[in-house]
Amino acid sequence: MLARAEGGELAHDAAAVDLAETLRCAWRLVEEAARARRLQAHWSVTDGLAARADEELLRMVAGNLLENAAAYAPPGSNIHISAAAEGDAVCLSVTNDAPGITEHDVDHLFDRFWRKDRSRAEAGLHAGLGLSLCRRLVQLMDGTIGASTSHGRLTLWLRLARVRLSAAAAATAEPQRGLAR
C-alpha cells in the first residue's frame, strides 16, 4: 500500500469525516490488546468535529497511531486520545508513556523500517512501515503529521482541514462521555 500511495495510485475521496466516530472505530480494534496490557484510555474529543479526509484512510491512520500506543506503552500506563479544532484545522493526537524515546528517536519515527527496539523486528513484530505509511496517507489528504516527546511521553499528532459535519451526521453522533474508559 505504501508504494501505491507514494506512486499516486491510491484512490481517495475527500469528505467530511466525523473524528469521534473514526476514533471509536479505530479504538475498537485495539481495545482488547490495550485491556490485556492494563492500559487506561483517556478521551478528550470535541463533539461534532469533522475533518476533510478520506474516511477509510483516516481510519487506517488513527488505527495505526492507536495500535502503536497500545503495543509500545508500558503495561499499566495511560493512552491519551484527543481531537480538537485549531482555527481552520483539526488536530488529532495520541499520547502515551514512552520512557527511553529521545528527540533523536522522534526524528526517525516516520522513516521506513526504523525501530528503536530491533528485537521486535527479529521477533516479527511490526515491520517499521506503519508510521511511514501514515505520513504518506495524511499527505494525500493534504494534512500534516508529526511527533514530539516530553517528560517520557510520546505524542503522535496530525492536522487536517476542518469542515462542518452535516446536520444529519451531527445529530446521529454518539455523546463523547461514552468514550471514557
Side-chain angles (χ1 to χ4, degrees), residues 49-131:
L49 194 58
R52 183 172 46 92
D54 179 285
E55 185 172 7
E56 183 178 345
L57 298 183
L58 184 55
R59 191 170 289 152
M60 288 170 44
V61 170
N64 186 275
L65 300 183
L66 292 169
E67 181 182 357
N68 281 346
Y72 293 110
S77 64
N78 298 298
I79 299 173
H80 296 269
I81 303 146
S82 67
E86 293 183 1
D88 61 351
V90 294
C91 186
L92 181 154
S93 67
V94 176
T95 302
N96 60 276
D97 293 344
I101 293 287
T102 66
E103 286 295 330
H104 173 75
D105 297 332
V106 168
D107 292 340
H108 296 285
L109 286 175
F110 296 94
D111 293 349
R112 282 183 177 202
F113 304 114
W114 186 87
R115 286 180 234 57
K116 174 141 180 105
D117 182 354
R118 295 284 178 209
S119 66
R120 285 172 107 46
E122 293 163 8
L125 302 171
H126 297 265
L129 291 172
L131 289 177

Side-chain angles (χ1 to χ4, degrees), residues 28 45 68-69 78-79 100 121 127 129 132-133 163 172:
R28 284 183 202 118
V45 179
N68 281 346
N78 298 298
I79 299 173
L129 291 172
S132 182
L133 176 61
V163 295
T172 60

Side-chain angles (χ1 to χ4, degrees), residues 122-177:
E122 293 163 8
L125 302 171
H126 297 265
L129 291 172
L131 289 177
S132 182
L133 176 61
C134 286
R135 178 178 54 197
R136 187 60 190 129
L137 296 179
V138 170
Q139 290 169 343
L140 283 173
M141 295 183 284
D142 296 323
T144 56
I145 188 168
S148 63
T149 186
S150 178
H151 306 291
R153 299 182 63 96
L154 174 66
T155 299
L156 296 168
W157 56 266
L158 64 95
R159 290 175 57 88
L160 295 165
R162 182 179 177 195
V163 295
R164 290 190 185 273
L165 201 55
S166 73
T172 60
E174 295 179 33
Q176 298 309 299
R177 65 180 169 272

